Amino acid sequence: MTDTPIDVQTAAAPVYTVPQERNVVTAVPGPKSLELQARRSKVVSAGVSSALPVYIERANGAILVDVDGNRFVDFGAGIGVTTVGHTEQRVVAAAADQLHDVIHTLFTITPYEEYVRVAELLAEHTPGNWEKKSVLVNSGAEAVENGVKIARKFTGRRAVAVLDHAYHGRTNLTMAMNYKAMPYATGFGPLAGDVYHAPNSYPYRDGLSGADAAARTVAYLEKVVGASDLACLVVEPIQGEGGFVVPADGFLPALQAWCTENGVVMIADEIQSGMARTGRYYASEHFGWEPDLVLSAKGIAGGLPLAAVTGRAEIMDASQPGGLGGTFGGNPVACAAAIAVFESIDENGLLAEGQRIEATFRAGLEKLARRYDIIGEIRGKGAMIALEFVQPGTAETTKAPNAEAVTAIIAYAAQHGVLFLNAGTYGNVLRFLPSLAVSDALIEDGLRVLDDALATLG
Ligand SMILES: *Cc1c(COP(=O)(O)O)cnc(C)c1O
């Protein structure tokens, strides 16, 4: 036995292949990006937009390098996908090894161990101490679709409920589950039926306690839908596209209790909030919520496409053999990457990194909020932090949304080598969801640029 402690942090200290600092050397977008943008506009559907049309050639850690040689600090991580860092070394090595062994067999024809291992890791790390099973699919929306299918099969009921300000995807069913019609559903109907939108908990705007907000949601479900027809209630523990809306304490467990009493399957859409992003494996844990089913996607495989539905074995097993799956679902390379992501979270201490990132952000943002009255609220958990902007002088009164400020800040930051994203039903939320590899120095650098941007708003 040795009494020398092993310093995991040092042993696993990441090696970056790109300097972790911003550097702008051209106008943004630069000339090469503009050329690519011209080519793109001829052949890529106008229905696919890009928030910042700089074409990326390399990415590593928390930095994006474009074709013109500009380095951007990435506070978006591909919308919370490269949570362990861009081109994280364990993910790269595991995926590369897997490419040489097996790229595809189709799990529903001839299976392979990596799929089973991912399901074991999901069973272990999702909330709830009961027997769990999983199905692996390709995208977040596909996980939502499967969660609903599974809940309908288990309950023999038809209706699906979601919350106001939700976002669940762009497929036919999921576009009916989103709050915002524009741009996700407008003109794309007919939408799937039997989808009901119930009130959420939005403490900054409704001022309700968790118990009162839950009572309001339950009243809606009982009156408008009727529990006996309701298959599932799908909820993001922290709403992503809706603007990182953090529900009041007690809201989620109260809804789960009502669902359990009424035979409704409650599904956590942890597609944006899961996989260590908030300083816990799953954001549900912050609220003491143990969902029946949990949806994972985005951050699960370090950037490769993979998603999962995980949950109570009896619910997951209600579907007939052959009813779930798909050609690429649980691809071996994506699974190998996901296994590496779980290792990276544990061995690089990434849950603690999420907590560090939150502390650094809050310290800086609280100072800014004291100086700029258009910052209405700072909220979020871990590396999922947002500012909600309101019109000058309205923070104490109407809280009138201020989308113009967010648009101007994002444009200013892009010119200075910082990628910020917006969010929120009213477009008035600035969200930070960097990779967990982002250093305090980079966060402070990003906050200086934010301060400069705010100063230009006058
Ligand atoms: C991104 C997202 C989805 C959809 O995932 P895709 O992989 O884009 O289909 C669903 N739910 C939430 C909460 C998301 O953030």
Side-chain angles (χ1 to χ4, degrees):
M1 219 186 115
T2 168
D3 57 7
T4 311
I6 296 167
D7 186 344
V8 176
Q9 293 279 31
T10 308
V15 179
Y16 293 115
T17 57
V18 166
Q20 297 295 294
E21 51 193 25
R22 72 190 156 100
N23 188 29
V24 178
V25 295
T26 69
V28 176
K32 290 183 180 163
S33 278
L34 288 174
E35 261 174 53
L36 283 165
Q37 187 67 5
R39 277 172 57 193
R40 168 223 180 107
S41 64
K42 293 203 174 78
V43 290
V44 177
S45 164
V48 186
S49 62
S50 295
L52 176 60
V54 295
Y55 286 73
I56 302 304
E57 198 166 68
R58 286 182 78 187
N60 184 240
I63 299 289
L64 299 169
V65 188
D66 77 5
V67 287
D68 291 291
N70 298 305
R71 289 199 305 262
F72 295 87
V73 187
D74 182 7
F75 288 101
I79 311 203
V81 169
T82 53
T83 305
V84 295
H86 284 285
T87 53
E88 198 270 339
Q89 49 196 337
R90 285 172 204 270
V91 170
V92 172
D97 281 353
Q98 186 62 41
L99 276 171
H100 291 284
D101 294 341
V102 186
I103 298 178
H104 176 81
T105 63
L106 213 177
F107 193 77
T108 63
I109 301 177
T110 49
Y112 38 88
E113 182 182 350
E114 289 75 14
Y115 190 119
V116 178
R117 184 65 192 137
V118 171
E120 287 171 349
L121 288 164
L122 286 165
E124 191 183 319
H125 290 290
T126 48
N129 202 2
W130 43 71
E131 201 196 334
K132 293 178 209 141
K133 297 196 175 181
S134 289
V135 56
L136 303 185
V137 293
N138 303 296
S139 70
E142 207 189 342
V144 177
E145 294 256 357
N146 277 279
V148 170
K149 269 170 70 171
I150 291 164
R152 281 177 166 160
K153 185 76 189 185
F154 175 73
T155 58
R157 303 176 184 176
R158 57 181 177 76
V160 175
V162 293
L163 298 185
D164 289 344
H165 304 288
Y167 176 78
H168 296 294
R170 286 186 174 86
T171 57
N172 186 261
L173 173 62
T174 56
M175 68 184 180
M177 295 168 69
N178 298 335
Y179 185 71
K180 283 207 293 197
M182 194 64 186
Y184 306 121
T186 302
F188 295 139
L191 302 183
D194 271 324
V195 176
Y196 297 88
H197 294 256
N200 70 340
S201 165
Y202 196 153
Y204 179 60
R205 292 199 173 270
D206 64 26
L208 294 179
S209 69
D212 289 348
R216 182 176 67 171
T217 307
V218 164
Y220 175 94
L221 295 175
E222 288 182 339
K223 295 297 168 203
V224 179
V225 193
S228 63
D229 273 338
L230 187 58
C232 57
L233 171 61
V234 186
V235 174
E236 299 159 86
I238 298 175
Q239 293 182 316
E241 302 307 297
F244 291 10
V245 180
V246 180
D249 279 342
F251 177 71
L252 295 169
L255 292 183
Q256 178 65 61
W258 179 83
C259 286
T260 302
E261 262 166 48
N262 290 279
V264 176
V265 176
M266 193 165 167
I267 303 178
D269 179 344
E270 290 256 20
I271 290 167
Q272 195 160 151
S273 58
M275 296 309 299
R277 170 142 303 277
T278 67
R280 303 283 181 91
Y281 254 98
Y282 287 89
S284 300
E285 296 167 45
H286 290 287
F287 308 101
W289 178 26
E290 296 189 337
D292 298 311
L293 301 182
V294 175
L295 311 178
S296 309
K298 292 201 160 90
I300 192 174
L304 276 83
L306 187 71
V309 183
T310 303
R312 290 180 181 274
E314 64 276 18
I315 301 175
M316 294 299 298
D317 278 343
S319 299
Q320 62 277 23
L324 306 177
T327 304
F328 291 121
N331 168 272
V333 182
C335 284
I339 295 164
V341 164
F342 279 101
E343 282 170 12
S344 174
I345 292 169
D346 291 340
E347 288 165 32
N348 295 349
L350 293 188
L351 298 181
E353 292 299 280
Q355 291 157 22
R356 165 188 62 84
I357 290 166
E358 175 174 346
T360 307
F361 263 110
R362 281 191 182 276
L365 293 174
E366 277 159 18
K367 282 189 204 140
L368 292 178
R370 281 196 287 274
R371 288 173 39 218
Y372 298 103
D373 79 335
I374 58 173
I375 297 177
E377 189 181 43
I378 305 166
R379 59 176 179 250
K381 306 264 188 202
M384 190 171 185
I385 299 287
L387 298 178
E388 178 157 354
F389 284 88
V390 294
Q391 296 295 338
T394 66
E396 305 301 322
T397 55
T398 61
K399 300 174 181 168
N402 187 345
E404 312 85 81
V406 172
T407 305
I409 290 164
I410 290 172
Y412 179 95
Q415 293 304 319
H416 292 82
V418 175
L419 175 60
F420 288 147
L421 299 176
N422 69 1
T425 295
Y426 311 105
N428 66 324
V429 176
L430 187 69
R431 61 173 149 176
F432 310 102
L433 61 171
S435 97
L436 299 169
V438 74
S439 65
D440 283 345
L442 279 179
I443 297 171
E444 280 154 11
D445 189 37
L447 292 176
R448 265 193 301 276
V449 172
L450 173 61
D451 190 354
D452 294 345
L454 282 161
T456 67
L457 296 177

